[in-house]
Amino acid sequence: AQSVTQLDSHVSVSEGTPVLLRCNYSSSYSPSLFWYVQHPNKGLQLLLKYTSAATLVKGINGFEAEFKKSETSFHLTKPSAHMSDAAEYFCVVSLTGRRALTFGSGTRLQVQP
Amino acid sequence: EAGVTQFPSHSVIEKGQTVTLRCDPISGHDNLYWYRRVMGKEIKFLLHFVKESKQDESGMPNNRFLAERTGGTYSTLKVQPAELEDSGVYFCASSHRDRGSPLHFGNGTRLTVT
């Protein structure tokens, strides 16, 4: 079975400070891991994905995530938050050989001016 | 390229009525998925089409839900009869046939059953 846990339902940061959104996964096999973002009234947009090529994955808009197998974590980071980063972020896992995605419960990021 | 389009964006219906949601995938995408997010819960997989064939419908909640993709282009998801617990946001996504191709999501249809 596979699952994904996002440790924080809400995160609030000040503009210009670092962002850390935490995600732990559980999977019996080598997973593919993703981060998606949803801005208000918009569809889900892929930020980045991990598929075992490199443990540090760089995504769009300055986001990156590091796959740590020993900790079963895939935390999302950004060095400096921008107001436009305010959105809901989803950590997602997919089993090799299966197309269906399993979503975390989401983390709502607020960016204070 | 045009993105994934979903229609309507919002739908409010009464319990017991029927609603049909439509999804137009990105042209040329063989894979089409339906997901939904019930209020306060995670986004859950419903089913997966490869062209016109249902590849995986393990997430369909019950037989009140019927998904079709005639001709392998657009897809419809019908709920008949709708119940209160069906309220939520229904997302459609599509991707290329290549394994590992990212999913492109539509903006979703917000369904409210009263």
Side-chain angles (χ1 to χ4, degrees), chain A:
Chain A
Q2 60 182 22
S3 69
V4 58
T5 302
Q6 292 185 244
L7 297 160
D8 307 294
S9 59
H10 289 83
V11 169
S12 182
V13 301
S14 298
E15 190 175 21
T17 64
V19 176
L20 169 64
L21 305 183
R22 299 182 294 166
C23 172
N24 286 97
Y25 70 91
S26 170
S27 176
S28 303
Y29 304 95
S30 298
S32 293
L33 294 159
F34 310 80
W35 277 96
Y36 279 83
V37 61
Q38 186 183 19
H39 289 90
N41 301 315
K42 298 285 188 181
L44 293 147
Q45 181 185 20
L46 179 66
L47 273 179
L48 51 82
K49 69 174 184 178
Y50 166 78
T51 53
S52 79
T55 56
L56 183 62
V57 183
K58 293 189 184 298
I60 62 171
N61 300 335
F63 284 94
E64 61 183 37
E66 186 172 8
F67 174 72
K68 291 187 177 180
K69 188 173 182 179
S70 60
E71 298 175 10
T72 60
S73 69
F74 190 57
H75 300 335
L76 181 71
T77 60
K78 182 173 180 177
S80 176
H82 192 273
M83 295 298 290
S84 61
D85 295 328
E88 190 164 19
Y89 292 78
F90 296 92
C91 184
V92 182
V93 64
S94 160
L95 266 184
T96 302
R98 186 147 190 264
R99 294 278 189 160
L101 303 178
T102 299
F103 282 77
S105 54
T107 297
R108 194 168 293 279
L109 176 65
Q110 286 184 308
V111 182
Q112 309 287 348

Side-chain angles (χ1 to χ4, degrees), chain B residues 2-20:
Chain B
V4 176
T5 306
Q6 291 187 245
F7 182 83
S9 56
H10 293 81
S11 180
V12 181
I13 61 172
E14 293 182 353
K15 176 182 171 180
Q17 289 185 321
T18 298
V19 63
T20 300

Side-chain angles (χ1 to χ4, degrees), chain B residues 20-85:
Chain B
T20 300
L21 314 181
R22 174 171 169 143
C23 169
D24 286 77
I26 292 173
S27 178
H29 281 190
D30 288 346
N31 293 297
L32 187 148
Y33 308 81
W34 284 97
Y35 287 80
R36 76 170 179 178
R37 190 180 196 187
V38 171
M39 186 71 71
K41 301 284 185 67
E42 292 90 352
I43 298 171
K44 295 282 194 185
F45 167 79
L46 295 178
L47 87 160
H48 169 212
F49 284 99
V50 177
K51 296 186 180 179
E52 66 276 8
S53 300
K54 290 176 185 174
Q55 186 76 12
D56 181 354
E57 51 184 328
S58 61
M60 294 289 264
N62 52 60
N63 59 11
R64 295 186 294 103
F65 288 75
L66 175 64
E68 295 181 319
R69 193 183 182 194
T70 307
T73 54
Y74 72 91
S75 173
T76 58
L77 179 64
K78 183 193 294 187
V79 185
Q80 179 182 30
E83 298 289 345
L84 298 178
E85 64 264 25

